[in-house]
Amino acid sequence: PLRIAVLGCGVVGSSVGLPPKEFAQVLRFHRALRLIHDRGLDPASAAFEAGYADQAHMTRAFRRIGGFTPGRMPAVALATLPL
């Protein structure tokens, strides 16, 4: 699971403009995107590798953050971030 060490909520918030929890959710979403898009993992495997509780949890995050489901993922240009 993704963990962000924070010295205080203001540290992450002032650096990236999001509270720590939301920042962690966006990073986990991006990791799942990369696992599906670049590595060709199926959604269930990507959910596990990205740290989601299950595929349904990941699908809800995809809808909330990306506006689409893993099964209907549009062609995306992904920024380079380490997996």
Side-chain angles (χ1 to χ4, degrees), residues 39-73:
R39 294 199 181 165
L41 291 182
D42 62 281
S45 298
F48 175 76
E49 289 293 323
Y52 288 101
D54 53 29
Q55 184 177 345
H57 183 208
M58 182 183 75
T59 298
R60 285 191 301 274
F62 267 61
R63 280 195 192 114
R64 188 180 74 255
I65 297 169
F68 54 88
T69 64
R72 297 192 178 265
M73 191 167 65

Side-chain angles (χ1 to χ4, degrees), residues 10-35:
V11 174
V12 173
S14 64
S15 298
V16 298
L18 294 172
K21 183 176 178 179
E22 287 182 40
F23 182 59
Q25 291 170 345
V26 170
L27 288 178
R28 185 169 44 185
F29 165 73
H30 192 270
R31 178 170 167 73
L33 268 176
R34 297 293 302 255
L35 290 167

